[in-house]
């Protein structure tokens, strides 16, 4: 877990004490552990919204500052502010925003160098969409937590921004629309201090994954064992994305019980590519549990038996969705 030091400047003992109590409550809720420090050694400062000799000393510091103001005062123009009295989640939110500005150390950064968008050549890392996919998995599920708030992937047609805190992507609306039908080949995700550009719209992690998976190499992702047992934790939200009979069948099967890939193929009669795409997108989105299979082989499972067992379920599901037989 990343360690950061917090210093107080010009704040009363009651405010500092309340903040420290909240920091203890927040232990384990994020990838950062905050500890009390004197201002000179602190990584981040919480500064009173008052003009005193003590606060003026830190007006031009390079350290991130959180200005604390009372509810009956005008909101300061500082980049990071916190209205007093504040709650635990309000404190956590502003600390996470500020932490994204702190330069990560090499041992804490799962991805490549921290670069602003202007210094990354468009398309330079876009040779293989698999590199984007690998960097996304490493960022979300690697050994080290995300070291920044924002990550950006460049392509010849635009930028994809990942909000690591909410696990949502941001992109130009026209770019997202084009991604539904074309492979834009985004490059490796890199940490970036700047937020997404104005006008960008949000896209869920599953939606982005679903648009990327058709352009990945065939088969399951490298971190997924073919002999795993797969089970959906909840149905994915397809929204306006294209979906097929096999997608709905896979949803129905995999929410019912854990199945191996071979069992899924046998019961669903879905194509291997469609099945692998579904598993890859759901797994990286956190919608699917996949563990080493410890299941008894289903004896004599045939297409006819599968149709008898699940035909009624799928028929009813398709009827409710208004799909033709």
């Amino acid at each position: 877990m990343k360690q950061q030091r917090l210093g107080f400047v010009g704040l009363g003992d009651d405010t500092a004490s309340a903040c420290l109590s909240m920091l203890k409550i927040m232990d384990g809720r994020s990838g950062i552990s905050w500890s009390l420090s004197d201002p000179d050694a602190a990584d981040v400062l919480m500064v009173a919204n008052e003009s005193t000799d003590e606060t003026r000393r830190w007006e031009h510091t390079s350290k991130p500052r959180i200005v604390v103001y009372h509810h009956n005062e005008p909101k300061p123009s500082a980049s990071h502010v916190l209205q007093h009295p504040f709650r635990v989640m309000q404190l956590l939110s502003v600390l996470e925003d500020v932490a994204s500005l702190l330069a990560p150390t090499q041992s804490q950064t799962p991805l490549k160098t921290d670069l602003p968008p202007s210094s990354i050549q468009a398309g330079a890392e876009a040779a293989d969409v698999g590199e984007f996919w690998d960097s996304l998995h490493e960022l979300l599920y690697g050994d080290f937590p995300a070291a920044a708030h924002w990550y950006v992937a460049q392509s010849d047609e635009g930028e994809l921004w990942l909000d690591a805190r909410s696990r949502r992507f941001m992109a130009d609306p026209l770019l997202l629309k084009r991604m539904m039908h074309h492979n834009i080949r985004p490059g490796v995700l890199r940490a970036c201090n700047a937020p997404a550009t104005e006008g960008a719209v949000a896209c869920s992690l599953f939606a982005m994954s679903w648009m990327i998976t058709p352009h990945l190499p065939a088969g399951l992702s490298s971190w997924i064992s073919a002999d795993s047992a797969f089970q959906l934790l909840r149905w994915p939200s397809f929204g306006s994305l294209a979906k097929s009979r096999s997608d709905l069948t896979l949803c129905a099967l995999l929410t019912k019980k854990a199945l191996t890939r071979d069992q899924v193929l046998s019961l669903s009669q879905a194509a291997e590519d469609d099945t692998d795409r579904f598993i890859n997108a759901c797994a990286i989105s956190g919608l699917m549990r996949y563990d080493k299979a410890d299941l008894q082989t289903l004896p004599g499972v045939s297409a006819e038996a599968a149709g008898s067992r699940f035909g009624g379920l799928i028929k009813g599901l398709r009827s409710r969705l208004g799909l033709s037989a």
Side-chain angles (χ1 to χ4, degrees):
M1 180 177 290
K2 191 174 182 180
Q3 304 289 326
Q4 297 290 0
R5 295 162 296 184
L6 185 64
F8 297 94
V9 178
L11 294 172
D13 292 341
D14 56 340
T15 302
S17 177
C19 183
L20 291 175
S21 297
M22 292 180 184
L23 288 175
K24 292 180 181 178
I25 296 174
M26 290 191 302
D27 275 349
R29 293 199 181 188
S30 70
I32 300 175
S33 175
W34 295 92
S35 60
L36 176 63
S37 172
D38 62 86
D40 290 300
D43 301 303
V44 176
L45 300 175
M46 291 188 68
V47 183
N49 184 35
E50 299 174 0
S51 181
T52 65
D53 290 342
E54 187 179 11
T55 58
R56 283 193 294 269
R57 177 191 169 196
W58 296 100
E59 283 183 353
H60 304 293
T61 179
S62 60
K63 298 179 180 182
R65 298 165 69 247
I66 301 170
V67 178
V68 180
Y69 68 104
H70 289 275
H71 63 89
N72 57 353
E73 297 176 334
K75 183 178 180 179
S77 59
S79 300
H80 303 283
V81 297
L82 190 62
Q83 186 184 81
H84 186 275
F86 47 83
R87 298 183 179 179
V88 173
M89 296 312 296
Q90 292 171 322
L91 177 61
L92 178 60
S93 177
V94 72
L95 285 177
E96 287 185 344
D97 285 342
V98 170
S100 68
L101 302 177
L102 301 174
T105 62
Q106 183 177 1
S107 62
Q108 293 165 327
T109 306
L111 302 179
K112 298 186 179 181
T113 54
D114 184 2
L115 298 173
S118 59
S119 66
I120 306 175
Q121 296 298 320
E125 297 287 349
D128 181 2
V129 71
E131 295 181 0
F132 166 84
W133 192 251
D134 289 342
S135 68
L136 176 60
H137 178 265
E138 187 179 2
L139 173 62
L140 297 177
Y141 304 106
D143 294 334
F144 302 104
H149 183 168
W150 290 102
Y151 289 81
V152 63
Q154 295 283 343
S155 79
D156 288 332
E157 301 188 40
E159 299 168 340
L160 293 176
W161 298 82
L162 171 66
D163 182 339
R165 188 173 57 189
S166 68
R167 294 193 171 192
R168 294 179 68 83
F169 276 91
M170 304 288 290
D172 181 86
L174 294 178
L175 178 62
L176 289 178
K177 184 176 181 180
R178 180 168 175 76
M179 285 187 67
M180 295 181 184
H181 309 287
H182 301 278
N183 177 15
I184 70 164
R185 306 179 75 83
V188 174
L189 282 159
R190 297 182 184 274
C192 180
N193 289 334
T197 54
E198 185 177 357
V201 297
C203 175
S204 71
L205 177 57
F206 173 77
M208 179 60 62
S209 303
W210 192 248
M211 290 187 282
I212 289 293
T213 46
H215 311 297
L216 293 173
L220 296 175
S221 297
S222 59
W223 54 85
I224 301 177
S225 173
D227 62 354
S228 297
F230 302 96
Q231 185 169 22
L232 271 180
L233 302 176
R234 62 178 177 83
W235 277 50
S237 176
F238 285 93
S240 60
L241 299 173
K243 49 189 174 294
S244 65
R245 175 184 297 188
S246 66
D247 299 332
L248 299 176
T249 301
L250 291 169
C251 285
L253 285 173
L254 290 170
T255 51
K256 189 176 182 65
K257 64 185 299 184
L259 297 169
T260 65
R261 181 177 180 274
D262 288 343
Q263 290 169 347
V264 172
L265 291 171
S266 178
L267 292 170
S268 69
Q269 297 297 295
E272 289 192 30
D273 288 347
D274 292 341
T275 300
D276 291 338
R277 178 197 182 190
F278 182 86
I279 292 175
N280 286 337
C282 291
I284 204 168
S285 304
L287 302 178
M288 178 173 286
R289 178 174 63 86
Y290 52 101
D291 304 310
K292 185 73 172 179
D294 186 19
L295 306 173
Q296 294 182 351
T297 303
L298 296 181
V301 175
S302 63
E304 183 178 354
S308 175
R309 181 176 302 180
F310 294 99
L313 172 64
I314 301 304
K315 183 177 179 180
L317 174 64
R318 290 177 55 75
S319 176
R320 289 194 297 274
L321 293 173
L323 300 175
S324 60

